[in-house]
Amino acid sequence: MSMTIPGREIARHCRAALFGLVVLGAAQAASAGSETSGAAYPQMAPGAEYLIPNPAAEISLARSAAPAAISGSATVLVLSSKGYETAVNGKNGFTCLVERAWMSPFDSPEFWNPKLRGPVCYNPAATRSILPITRYRTKLAQSGVPKNQMFDEIRAAIARKELPAPELGAMSFMMSKDGYLSDDAGHWHSHLMFYIPGTDISSWGANLPGSPVVVDGEHRKIPEQQITFLVPVSHWSDGSFAPASGHPAEGGDK
């Protein structure tokens, strides 16, 4: 059941907890530019800081993105120094993993924050059309490519049709109470994400008073030509109550 928090209020919190391509995005005409010198995370941390040493813990965190009826039969990926690797072969077409900070928009001040952990479960359509982008961004980040060059290389790969546009029906679950989506917002709020080709946010009534649909209009710098709409929901993946946006999960650490 969707929350009825006014859309603009949710969007305000969304901007503090942006993660996992939760953005209004279009192929930008300008380059991502250089790192902001005053940013808290001006450059990539040592690669090991983005890894979870215990694969079982990462599998559990990835599965927590969606209810067990979905994630229990999903393929699960874990991040190694060589990129995402299959830890569990699923049978329902869903794919669960833990995204890292470099999946944020390129103008996010936490683009290189090694603490960020975004559990997500992609449905089959998103597995086919969104997961390849996640893998490609991750490959570039782990290879040490500078952020502005990452942006340009992704945009060029899209132009060459090496990366797909969002497939019709592509969506994902981000319902984990154990994720860490930003230094300010911690877990933020349990939500679903819907990936739409194009740039028109009005088609879903996002950010309007009383609308549960959210899109971030502040952080816009991504090379992928898509919009990602968020719809907050009232419970975490384990069925427990999800508090209002901007508050951490009950019993969890921010």
Side-chain angles (χ1 to χ4, degrees), residues 1-11 13 175 188-192 205 207-214 230-236 240-247:
M1 180 176 65
S2 298
M3 296 293 290
T4 57
I5 302 170
R8 289 177 181 171
E9 176 67 10
I10 299 174
H13 291 296
M175 297 176 62
W188 193 59
H189 195 83
S190 180
H191 61 280
L192 310 179
N207 296 355
L208 296 178
S211 173
V213 183
V214 180
L230 291 79
V231 178
V233 294
S234 60
H235 56 281
W236 301 108
S240 60
F241 173 70
S245 60
H247 297 281

PDB file of all heavy atoms in Angstrom, residues 1-11 13 175 188-192 205 207-214 230-236 240-247:
ATOM      1  N   MET A   1       0.856  -1.188   0.000  1.00  0.00           N
ATOM      2  CA  MET A   1       0.000   0.000   0.000  1.00  0.00           C
ATOM      3  C   MET A   1       0.885   1.230   0.000  1.00  0.00           C
ATOM      4  O   MET A   1       1.788   1.364   0.810  1.00  0.00           O
ATOM      5  CB  MET A   1      -0.900   0.003   1.233  1.00  0.00           C
ATOM      6  CG  MET A   1      -1.822   1.211   1.310  1.00  0.00           C
ATOM      7  SD  MET A   1      -2.951   1.111   2.715  1.00  0.00           S
ATOM      8  CE  MET A   1      -1.804   1.196   4.091  1.00  0.00           C
ATOM      9  N   SER A   2       0.633   2.143  -0.886  1.00  0.00           N
ATOM     10  CA  SER A   2       1.459   3.334  -1.010  1.00  0.00           C
ATOM     11  C   SER A   2       1.182   4.312   0.115  1.00  0.00           C
ATOM     12  O   SER A   2       0.066   4.420   0.616  1.00  0.00           O
ATOM     13  CB  SER A   2       1.183   4.029  -2.350  1.00  0.00           C
ATOM     14  OG  SER A   2       1.517   3.176  -3.412  1.00  0.00           O
ATOM     15  N   MET A   3       2.213   5.051   0.505  1.00  0.00           N
ATOM     16  CA  MET A   3       2.058   6.086   1.506  1.00  0.00           C
ATOM     17  C   MET A   3       1.329   7.282   0.898  1.00  0.00           C
ATOM     18  O   MET A   3       1.323   7.483  -0.308  1.00  0.00           O
ATOM     19  CB  MET A   3       3.435   6.542   1.995  1.00  0.00           C
ATOM     20  CG  MET A   3       4.202   5.447   2.714  1.00  0.00           C
ATOM     21  SD  MET A   3       3.456   4.981   4.270  1.00  0.00           S
ATOM     22  CE  MET A   3       3.774   6.438   5.239  1.00  0.00           C
ATOM     23  N   THR A   4       0.727   8.102   1.745  1.00  0.00           N
ATOM     24  CA  THR A   4       0.014   9.291   1.273  1.00  0.00           C
ATOM     25  C   THR A   4       0.703  10.568   1.727  1.00  0.00           C
ATOM     26  O   THR A   4       0.099  11.619   1.773  1.00  0.00           O
ATOM     27  CB  THR A   4      -1.438   9.283   1.780  1.00  0.00           C
ATOM     28  OG1 THR A   4      -1.437   9.205   3.204  1.00  0.00           O
ATOM     29  CG2 THR A   4      -2.195   8.103   1.206  1.00  0.00           C
ATOM     30  N   ILE A   5       1.983  10.476   2.091  1.00  0.00           N
ATOM     31  CA  ILE A   5       2.747  11.672   2.433  1.00  0.00           C
ATOM     32  C   ILE A   5       2.796  12.568   1.208  1.00  0.00           C
ATOM     33  O   ILE A   5       3.030  12.088   0.108  1.00  0.00           O
ATOM     34  CB  ILE A   5       4.177  11.284   2.850  1.00  0.00           C
ATOM     35  CG1 ILE A   5       4.132  10.317   4.046  1.00  0.00           C
ATOM     36  CG2 ILE A   5       5.002  12.510   3.203  1.00  0.00           C
ATOM     37  CD1 ILE A   5       5.468   9.711   4.367  1.00  0.00           C
ATOM     38  N   PRO A   6       2.550  13.871   1.333  1.00  0.00           N
ATOM     39  CA  PRO A   6       2.582  14.744   0.165  1.00  0.00           C
ATOM     40  C   PRO A   6       3.869  14.575  -0.621  1.00  0.00           C
ATOM     41  O   PRO A   6       4.951  14.493  -0.070  1.00  0.00           O
ATOM     42  CB  PRO A   6       2.479  16.142   0.787  1.00  0.00           C
ATOM     43  CG  PRO A   6       1.760  15.926   2.082  1.00  0.00           C
ATOM     44  CD  PRO A   6       2.236  14.588   2.571  1.00  0.00           C
ATOM     45  N   GLY A   7       3.732  14.557  -1.952  1.00  0.00           N
ATOM     46  CA  GLY A   7       4.861  14.264  -2.812  1.00  0.00           C
ATOM     47  C   GLY A   7       6.026  15.205  -2.618  1.00  0.00           C
ATOM     48  O   GLY A   7       7.181  14.798  -2.651  1.00  0.00           O
ATOM     49  N   ARG A   8       5.763  16.499  -2.428  1.00  0.00           N
ATOM     50  CA  ARG A   8       6.868  17.445  -2.294  1.00  0.00           C
ATOM     51  C   ARG A   8       7.660  17.205  -1.020  1.00  0.00           C
ATOM     52  O   ARG A   8       8.871  17.380  -0.986  1.00  0.00           O
ATOM     53  CB  ARG A   8       6.326  18.875  -2.324  1.00  0.00           C
ATOM     54  CG  ARG A   8       5.827  19.280  -3.717  1.00  0.00           C
ATOM     55  CD  ARG A   8       5.229  20.659  -3.734  1.00  0.00           C
ATOM     56  NE  ARG A   8       4.751  21.001  -5.060  1.00  0.00           N
ATOM     57  CZ  ARG A   8       4.034  22.077  -5.322  1.00  0.00           C
ATOM     58  NH1 ARG A   8       3.727  22.918  -4.356  1.00  0.00           N
ATOM     59  NH2 ARG A   8       3.629  22.321  -6.563  1.00  0.00           N
ATOM     60  N   GLU A   9       6.982  16.790   0.052  1.00  0.00           N
ATOM     61  CA  GLU A   9       7.679  16.499   1.301  1.00  0.00           C
ATOM     62  C   GLU A   9       8.549  15.265   1.133  1.00  0.00           C
ATOM     63  O   GLU A   9       9.700  15.227   1.586  1.00  0.00           O
ATOM     64  CB  GLU A   9       6.666  16.280   2.429  1.00  0.00           C
ATOM     65  CG  GLU A   9       7.280  15.872   3.770  1.00  0.00           C
ATOM     66  CD  GLU A   9       8.117  16.967   4.401  1.00  0.00           C
ATOM     67  OE1 GLU A   9       8.076  18.106   3.918  1.00  0.00           O
ATOM     68  OE2 GLU A   9       8.822  16.670   5.372  1.00  0.00           O
ATOM     69  N   ILE A  10       8.040  14.241   0.453  1.00  0.00           N
ATOM     70  CA  ILE A  10       8.836  13.055   0.207  1.00  0.00           C
ATOM     71  C   ILE A  10      10.039  13.413  -0.652  1.00  0.00           C
ATOM     72  O   ILE A  10      11.150  12.952  -0.421  1.00  0.00           O
ATOM     73  CB  ILE A  10       8.004  11.960  -0.482  1.00  0.00           C
ATOM     74  CG1 ILE A  10       6.826  11.562   0.414  1.00  0.00           C
ATOM     75  CG2 ILE A  10       8.860  10.743  -0.784  1.00  0.00           C
ATOM     76  CD1 ILE A  10       5.871  10.594  -0.238  1.00  0.00           C
ATOM     77  N   ALA A  11       9.821  14.245  -1.652  1.00  0.00           N
ATOM     78  CA  ALA A  11      10.913  14.619  -2.543  1.00  0.00           C
ATOM     79  C   ALA A  11      12.020  15.332  -1.786  1.00  0.00           C
ATOM     80  O   ALA A  11      13.205  15.163  -2.078  1.00  0.00           O
ATOM     81  CB  ALA A  11      10.391  15.506  -3.669  1.00  0.00           C
ATOM     82  N   HIS A  13      12.962  14.750   1.281  1.00  0.00           N
ATOM     83  CA  HIS A  13      13.764  13.716   1.922  1.00  0.00           C
ATOM     84  C   HIS A  13      14.495  12.879   0.880  1.00  0.00           C
ATOM     85  O   HIS A  13      15.609  12.425   1.107  1.00  0.00           O
ATOM     86  CB  HIS A  13      12.880  12.810   2.781  1.00  0.00           C
ATOM     87  CG  HIS A  13      12.334  13.494   3.989  1.00  0.00           C
ATOM     88  ND1 HIS A  13      13.135  13.954   4.999  1.00  0.00           N
ATOM     89  CD2 HIS A  13      11.061  13.796   4.336  1.00  0.00           C
ATOM     90  CE1 HIS A  13      12.379  14.507   5.941  1.00  0.00           C
ATOM     91  NE2 HIS A  13      11.125  14.423   5.557  1.00  0.00           N
ATOM     92  N   MET A 175      13.235  -2.284  -0.317  1.00  0.00           N
ATOM     93  CA  MET A 175      12.419  -2.348   0.892  1.00  0.00           C
ATOM     94  C   MET A 175      13.214  -2.826   2.104  1.00  0.00           C
ATOM     95  O   MET A 175      12.640  -3.271   3.091  1.00  0.00           O
ATOM     96  CB  MET A 175      11.219  -3.277   0.646  1.00  0.00           C
ATOM     97  CG  MET A 175      10.274  -2.802  -0.442  1.00  0.00           C
ATOM     98  SD  MET A 175       8.929  -3.983  -0.771  1.00  0.00           S
ATOM     99  CE  MET A 175       8.076  -4.004   0.837  1.00  0.00           C
ATOM    100  N   TRP A 188      16.516   5.805   4.920  1.00  0.00           N
ATOM    101  CA  TRP A 188      15.438   6.533   4.264  1.00  0.00           C
ATOM    102  C   TRP A 188      14.130   5.775   4.411  1.00  0.00           C
ATOM    103  O   TRP A 188      13.708   5.478   5.516  1.00  0.00           O
ATOM    104  CB  TRP A 188      15.742   6.893   2.805  1.00  0.00           C
ATOM    105  CG  TRP A 188      14.760   7.888   2.269  1.00  0.00           C
ATOM    106  CD1 TRP A 188      14.527   9.135   2.772  1.00  0.00           C
ATOM    107  CD2 TRP A 188      13.851   7.717   1.175  1.00  0.00           C
ATOM    108  NE1 TRP A 188      13.537   9.759   2.046  1.00  0.00           N
ATOM    109  CE2 TRP A 188      13.111   8.911   1.063  1.00  0.00           C
ATOM    110  CE3 TRP A 188      13.600   6.681   0.291  1.00  0.00           C
ATOM    111  CZ2 TRP A 188      12.128   9.094   0.089  1.00  0.00           C
ATOM    112  CZ3 TRP A 188      12.640   6.859  -0.695  1.00  0.00           C
ATOM    113  CH2 TRP A 188      11.906   8.057  -0.785  1.00  0.00           C
ATOM    114  N   HIS A 189      13.471   5.380   3.329  1.00  0.00           N
ATOM    115  CA  HIS A 189      12.128   4.813   3.432  1.00  0.00           C
ATOM    116  C   HIS A 189      11.989   3.639   2.471  1.00  0.00           C
ATOM    117  O   HIS A 189      12.554   3.642   1.372  1.00  0.00           O
ATOM    118  CB  HIS A 189      11.073   5.877   3.107  1.00  0.00           C
ATOM    119  CG  HIS A 189       9.695   5.482   3.528  1.00  0.00           C
ATOM    120  ND1 HIS A 189       9.239   5.641   4.817  1.00  0.00           N
ATOM    121  CD2 HIS A 189       8.696   4.888   2.845  1.00  0.00           C
ATOM    122  CE1 HIS A 189       7.998   5.194   4.898  1.00  0.00           C
ATOM    123  NE2 HIS A 189       7.656   4.721   3.709  1.00  0.00           N
ATOM    124  N   SER A 190      11.225   2.667   2.868  1.00  0.00           N
ATOM    125  CA  SER A 190      10.926   1.527   2.001  1.00  0.00           C
ATOM    126  C   SER A 190      10.199   2.013   0.749  1.00  0.00           C
ATOM    127  O   SER A 190       9.240   2.774   0.833  1.00  0.00           O
ATOM    128  CB  SER A 190      10.045   0.542   2.770  1.00  0.00           C
ATOM    129  OG  SER A 190       9.723  -0.583   1.988  1.00  0.00           O
ATOM    130  N   HIS A 191      10.653   1.563  -0.436  1.00  0.00           N
ATOM    131  CA  HIS A 191      10.039   2.077  -1.657  1.00  0.00           C
ATOM    132  C   HIS A 191      10.229   1.125  -2.838  1.00  0.00           C
ATOM    133  O   HIS A 191      11.060   0.219  -2.808  1.00  0.00           O
ATOM    134  CB  HIS A 191      10.600   3.456  -2.018  1.00  0.00           C
ATOM    135  CG  HIS A 191      12.075   3.484  -2.271  1.00  0.00           C
ATOM    136  ND1 HIS A 191      13.014   3.520  -1.250  1.00  0.00           N
ATOM    137  CD2 HIS A 191      12.798   3.505  -3.426  1.00  0.00           C
ATOM    138  CE1 HIS A 191      14.224   3.547  -1.758  1.00  0.00           C
ATOM    139  NE2 HIS A 191      14.124   3.534  -3.080  1.00  0.00           N
ATOM    140  N   LEU A 192       9.428   1.363  -3.864  1.00  0.00           N
ATOM    141  CA  LEU A 192       9.559   0.695  -5.148  1.00  0.00           C
ATOM    142  C   LEU A 192      10.090   1.702  -6.155  1.00  0.00           C
ATOM    143  O   LEU A 192       9.872   2.904  -6.008  1.00  0.00           O
ATOM    144  CB  LEU A 192       8.198   0.171  -5.625  1.00  0.00           C
ATOM    145  CG  LEU A 192       7.385  -0.649  -4.635  1.00  0.00           C
ATOM    146  CD1 LEU A 192       6.051  -1.058  -5.260  1.00  0.00           C
ATOM    147  CD2 LEU A 192       8.155  -1.878  -4.171  1.00  0.00           C
ATOM    148  N   GLY A 205       2.566  12.226 -12.507  1.00  0.00           N
ATOM    149  CA  GLY A 205       2.107  13.124 -11.455  1.00  0.00           C
ATOM    150  C   GLY A 205       3.057  13.193 -10.279  1.00  0.00           C
ATOM    151  O   GLY A 205       2.642  13.399  -9.135  1.00  0.00           O
ATOM    152  N   ASN A 207       5.705  14.276  -7.444  1.00  0.00           N
ATOM    153  CA  ASN A 207       6.005  15.430  -6.593  1.00  0.00           C
ATOM    154  C   ASN A 207       4.844  16.414  -6.435  1.00  0.00           C
ATOM    155  O   ASN A 207       5.034  17.515  -5.921  1.00  0.00           O
ATOM    156  CB  ASN A 207       7.234  16.190  -7.104  1.00  0.00           C
ATOM    157  CG  ASN A 207       8.503  15.368  -7.062  1.00  0.00           C
ATOM    158  OD1 ASN A 207       8.500  14.240  -6.568  1.00  0.00           O
ATOM    159  ND2 ASN A 207       9.580  15.915  -7.572  1.00  0.00           N
ATOM    160  N   LEU A 208       3.644  16.047  -6.867  1.00  0.00           N
ATOM    161  CA  LEU A 208       2.492  16.925  -6.673  1.00  0.00           C
ATOM    162  C   LEU A 208       1.906  16.714  -5.282  1.00  0.00           C
ATOM    163  O   LEU A 208       2.058  15.635  -4.696  1.00  0.00           O
ATOM    164  CB  LEU A 208       1.435  16.644  -7.748  1.00  0.00           C
ATOM    165  CG  LEU A 208       1.862  16.937  -9.194  1.00  0.00           C
ATOM    166  CD1 LEU A 208       0.729  16.563 -10.158  1.00  0.00           C
ATOM    167  CD2 LEU A 208       2.234  18.408  -9.360  1.00  0.00           C
ATOM    168  N   PRO A 209       1.230  17.720  -4.723  1.00  0.00           N
ATOM    169  CA  PRO A 209       0.642  17.564  -3.388  1.00  0.00           C
ATOM    170  C   PRO A 209      -0.273  16.348  -3.326  1.00  0.00           C
ATOM    171  O   PRO A 209      -1.150  16.165  -4.164  1.00  0.00           O
ATOM    172  CB  PRO A 209      -0.142  18.867  -3.208  1.00  0.00           C
ATOM    173  CG  PRO A 209       0.564  19.859  -4.067  1.00  0.00           C
ATOM    174  CD  PRO A 209       1.014  19.079  -5.278  1.00  0.00           C
ATOM    175  N   GLY A 210      -0.044  15.501  -2.329  1.00  0.00           N
ATOM    176  CA  GLY A 210      -0.863  14.305  -2.136  1.00  0.00           C
ATOM    177  C   GLY A 210      -0.449  13.119  -2.971  1.00  0.00           C
ATOM    178  O   GLY A 210      -0.930  12.009  -2.755  1.00  0.00           O
ATOM    179  N   SER A 211       0.458  13.312  -3.933  1.00  0.00           N
ATOM    180  CA  SER A 211       0.897  12.200  -4.776  1.00  0.00           C
ATOM    181  C   SER A 211       1.975  11.403  -4.058  1.00  0.00           C
ATOM    182  O   SER A 211       2.925  11.968  -3.515  1.00  0.00           O
ATOM    183  CB  SER A 211       1.453  12.712  -6.106  1.00  0.00           C
ATOM    184  OG  SER A 211       2.018  11.649  -6.853  1.00  0.00           O
ATOM    185  N   PRO A 212       1.876  10.062  -4.057  1.00  0.00           N
ATOM    186  CA  PRO A 212       2.917   9.242  -3.446  1.00  0.00           C
ATOM    187  C   PRO A 212       4.115   9.020  -4.361  1.00  0.00           C
ATOM    188  O   PRO A 212       5.102   8.407  -3.957  1.00  0.00           O
ATOM    189  CB  PRO A 212       2.191   7.919  -3.175  1.00  0.00           C
ATOM    190  CG  PRO A 212       1.207   7.821  -4.286  1.00  0.00           C
ATOM    191  CD  PRO A 212       0.750   9.236  -4.553  1.00  0.00           C
ATOM    192  N   VAL A 213       4.040   9.506  -5.592  1.00  0.00           N
ATOM    193  CA  VAL A 213       5.104   9.270  -6.564  1.00  0.00           C
ATOM    194  C   VAL A 213       6.159  10.370  -6.440  1.00  0.00           C
ATOM    195  O   VAL A 213       5.824  11.559  -6.404  1.00  0.00           O
ATOM    196  CB  VAL A 213       4.542   9.229  -7.995  1.00  0.00           C
ATOM    197  CG1 VAL A 213       5.661   8.915  -8.996  1.00  0.00           C
ATOM    198  CG2 VAL A 213       3.427   8.200  -8.108  1.00  0.00           C
ATOM    199  N   VAL A 214       7.423   9.963  -6.397  1.00  0.00           N
ATOM    200  CA  VAL A 214       8.513  10.896  -6.160  1.00  0.00           C
ATOM    201  C   VAL A 214       9.527  10.789  -7.288  1.00  0.00           C
ATOM    202  O   VAL A 214       9.801   9.702  -7.793  1.00  0.00           O
ATOM    203  CB  VAL A 214       9.228  10.565  -4.831  1.00  0.00           C
ATOM    204  CG1 VAL A 214      10.363  11.543  -4.569  1.00  0.00           C
ATOM    205  CG2 VAL A 214       8.233  10.572  -3.684  1.00  0.00           C
ATOM    206  N   LEU A 230       9.911   6.897  -7.809  1.00  0.00           N
ATOM    207  CA  LEU A 230       9.829   6.170  -6.547  1.00  0.00           C
ATOM    208  C   LEU A 230       8.396   6.191  -6.035  1.00  0.00           C
ATOM    209  O   LEU A 230       7.721   7.213  -6.129  1.00  0.00           O
ATOM    210  CB  LEU A 230      10.685   6.829  -5.465  1.00  0.00           C
ATOM    211  CG  LEU A 230      12.191   6.806  -5.572  1.00  0.00           C
ATOM    212  CD1 LEU A 230      12.684   7.854  -6.532  1.00  0.00           C
ATOM    213  CD2 LEU A 230      12.790   7.046  -4.187  1.00  0.00           C
ATOM    214  N   VAL A 231       7.979   5.082  -5.451  1.00  0.00           N
ATOM    215  CA  VAL A 231       6.705   5.024  -4.753  1.00  0.00           C
ATOM    216  C   VAL A 231       6.969   4.439  -3.368  1.00  0.00           C
ATOM    217  O   VAL A 231       7.197   3.230  -3.229  1.00  0.00           O
ATOM    218  CB  VAL A 231       5.667   4.176  -5.507  1.00  0.00           C
ATOM    219  CG1 VAL A 231       4.362   4.116  -4.711  1.00  0.00           C
ATOM    220  CG2 VAL A 231       5.415   4.729  -6.902  1.00  0.00           C
ATOM    221  N   PRO A 232       7.007   5.260  -2.305  1.00  0.00           N
ATOM    222  CA  PRO A 232       7.197   4.733  -0.954  1.00  0.00           C
ATOM    223  C   PRO A 232       6.062   3.795  -0.555  1.00  0.00           C
ATOM    224  O   PRO A 232       4.910   3.977  -0.977  1.00  0.00           O
ATOM    225  CB  PRO A 232       7.190   6.003  -0.084  1.00  0.00           C
ATOM    226  CG  PRO A 232       7.617   7.086  -1.023  1.00  0.00           C
ATOM    227  CD  PRO A 232       6.989   6.726  -2.337  1.00  0.00           C
ATOM    228  N   VAL A 233       6.394   2.790   0.240  1.00  0.00           N
ATOM    229  CA  VAL A 233       5.405   1.844   0.745  1.00  0.00           C
ATOM    230  C   VAL A 233       5.485   1.810   2.263  1.00  0.00           C
ATOM    231  O   VAL A 233       6.450   2.289   2.861  1.00  0.00           O
ATOM    232  CB  VAL A 233       5.602   0.433   0.157  1.00  0.00           C
ATOM    233  CG1 VAL A 233       5.332   0.443  -1.337  1.00  0.00           C
ATOM    234  CG2 VAL A 233       7.011  -0.094   0.430  1.00  0.00           C
ATOM    235  N   SER A 234       4.471   1.251   2.892  1.00  0.00           N
ATOM    236  CA  SER A 234       4.301   1.405   4.337  1.00  0.00           C
ATOM    237  C   SER A 234       4.955   0.315   5.168  1.00  0.00           C
ATOM    238  O   SER A 234       4.816   0.302   6.388  1.00  0.00           O
ATOM    239  CB  SER A 234       2.799   1.434   4.666  1.00  0.00           C
ATOM    240  OG  SER A 234       2.187   0.221   4.255  1.00  0.00           O
ATOM    241  N   HIS A 235       5.688  -0.609   4.546  1.00  0.00           N
ATOM    242  CA  HIS A 235       6.303  -1.684   5.317  1.00  0.00           C
ATOM    243  C   HIS A 235       7.646  -2.065   4.712  1.00  0.00           C
ATOM    244  O   HIS A 235       7.912  -1.842   3.533  1.00  0.00           O
ATOM    245  CB  HIS A 235       5.388  -2.907   5.371  1.00  0.00           C
ATOM    246  CG  HIS A 235       4.987  -3.419   4.022  1.00  0.00           C
ATOM    247  ND1 HIS A 235       3.990  -2.821   3.267  1.00  0.00           N
ATOM    248  CD2 HIS A 235       5.455  -4.455   3.266  1.00  0.00           C
ATOM    249  CE1 HIS A 235       3.862  -3.474   2.119  1.00  0.00           C
ATOM    250  NE2 HIS A 235       4.736  -4.449   2.092  1.00  0.00           N
ATOM    251  N   TRP A 236       8.503  -2.632   5.565  1.00  0.00           N
ATOM    252  CA  TRP A 236       9.778  -3.163   5.106  1.00  0.00           C
ATOM    253  C   TRP A 236       9.560  -4.544   4.499  1.00  0.00           C
ATOM    254  O   TRP A 236       8.466  -5.114   4.584  1.00  0.00           O
ATOM    255  CB  TRP A 236      10.766  -3.239   6.261  1.00  0.00           C
ATOM    256  CG  TRP A 236      11.058  -1.927   6.925  1.00  0.00           C
ATOM    257  CD1 TRP A 236      10.643  -1.526   8.155  1.00  0.00           C
ATOM    258  CD2 TRP A 236      11.831  -0.831   6.388  1.00  0.00           C
ATOM    259  NE1 TRP A 236      11.105  -0.255   8.428  1.00  0.00           N
ATOM    260  CE2 TRP A 236      11.830   0.193   7.365  1.00  0.00           C
ATOM    261  CE3 TRP A 236      12.512  -0.633   5.191  1.00  0.00           C
ATOM    262  CZ2 TRP A 236      12.498   1.400   7.169  1.00  0.00           C
ATOM    263  CZ3 TRP A 236      13.176   0.569   4.994  1.00  0.00           C
ATOM    264  CH2 TRP A 236      13.164   1.573   5.973  1.00  0.00           C
ATOM    265  N   SER A 240       7.369  -5.638   8.634  1.00  0.00           N
ATOM    266  CA  SER A 240       7.243  -4.693   9.750  1.00  0.00           C
ATOM    267  C   SER A 240       6.972  -3.287   9.220  1.00  0.00           C
ATOM    268  O   SER A 240       7.252  -2.963   8.061  1.00  0.00           O
ATOM    269  CB  SER A 240       8.516  -4.699  10.603  1.00  0.00           C
ATOM    270  OG  SER A 240       9.641  -4.329   9.843  1.00  0.00           O
ATOM    271  N   PHE A 241       6.422  -2.451  10.086  1.00  0.00           N
ATOM    272  CA  PHE A 241       6.031  -1.100   9.697  1.00  0.00           C
ATOM    273  C   PHE A 241       7.241  -0.270   9.303  1.00  0.00           C
ATOM    274  O   PHE A 241       8.256  -0.246  10.001  1.00  0.00           O
ATOM    275  CB  PHE A 241       5.291  -0.430  10.846  1.00  0.00           C
ATOM    276  CG  PHE A 241       4.992   1.029  10.613  1.00  0.00           C
ATOM    277  CD1 PHE A 241       4.048   1.413   9.674  1.00  0.00           C
ATOM    278  CD2 PHE A 241       5.659   2.006  11.328  1.00  0.00           C
ATOM    279  CE1 PHE A 241       3.779   2.765   9.449  1.00  0.00           C
ATOM    280  CE2 PHE A 241       5.398   3.348  11.116  1.00  0.00           C
ATOM    281  CZ  PHE A 241       4.454   3.722  10.173  1.00  0.00           C
ATOM    282  N   ALA A 242       7.140   0.429   8.197  1.00  0.00           N
ATOM    283  CA  ALA A 242       8.194   1.337   7.746  1.00  0.00           C
ATOM    284  C   ALA A 242       7.830   2.747   8.186  1.00  0.00           C
ATOM    285  O   ALA A 242       6.786   3.276   7.788  1.00  0.00           O
ATOM    286  CB  ALA A 242       8.343   1.281   6.229  1.00  0.00           C
ATOM    287  N   PRO A 243       8.651   3.387   9.011  1.00  0.00           N
ATOM    288  CA  PRO A 243       8.322   4.728   9.496  1.00  0.00           C
ATOM    289  C   PRO A 243       8.330   5.748   8.382  1.00  0.00           C
ATOM    290  O   PRO A 243       8.778   5.479   7.262  1.00  0.00           O
ATOM    291  CB  PRO A 243       9.425   5.010  10.524  1.00  0.00           C
ATOM    292  CG  PRO A 243      10.552   4.148  10.103  1.00  0.00           C
ATOM    293  CD  PRO A 243       9.936   2.906   9.515  1.00  0.00           C
ATOM    294  N   ALA A 244       7.825   6.926   8.694  1.00  0.00           N
ATOM    295  CA  ALA A 244       7.719   8.000   7.704  1.00  0.00           C
ATOM    296  C   ALA A 244       9.074   8.333   7.132  1.00  0.00           C
ATOM    297  O   ALA A 244      10.114   8.128   7.759  1.00  0.00           O
ATOM    298  CB  ALA A 244       7.086   9.237   8.332  1.00  0.00           C
ATOM    299  N   SER A 245       9.072   8.877   5.920  1.00  0.00           N
ATOM    300  CA  SER A 245      10.329   9.183   5.227  1.00  0.00           C
ATOM    301  C   SER A 245      11.206  10.085   6.062  1.00  0.00           C
ATOM    302  O   SER A 245      10.744  10.973   6.782  1.00  0.00           O
ATOM    303  CB  SER A 245      10.014   9.863   3.892  1.00  0.00           C
ATOM    304  OG  SER A 245       9.294  11.055   4.102  1.00  0.00           O
ATOM    305  N   GLY A 246      12.516   9.828   5.946  1.00  0.00           N
ATOM    306  CA  GLY A 246      13.492  10.629   6.654  1.00  0.00           C
ATOM    307  C   GLY A 246      13.874  10.059   7.990  1.00  0.00           C
ATOM    308  O   GLY A 246      14.757  10.584   8.659  1.00  0.00           O
ATOM    309  N   HIS A 247      13.240   8.931   8.415  1.00  0.00           N
ATOM    310  CA  HIS A 247      13.577   8.327   9.707  1.00  0.00           C
ATOM    311  C   HIS A 247      14.151   6.937   9.475  1.00  0.00           C
ATOM    312  O   HIS A 247      13.691   6.198   8.619  1.00  0.00           O
ATOM    313  CB  HIS A 247      12.321   8.223  10.583  1.00  0.00           C
ATOM    314  CG  HIS A 247      11.740   9.551  10.912  1.00  0.00           C
ATOM    315  ND1 HIS A 247      12.243  10.359  11.887  1.00  0.00           N
ATOM    316  CD2 HIS A 247      10.699  10.246  10.357  1.00  0.00           C
ATOM    317  CE1 HIS A 247      11.530  11.476  11.953  1.00  0.00           C
ATOM    318  NE2 HIS A 247      10.603  11.439  11.020  1.00  0.00           N
TER     319      HIS A 247
END
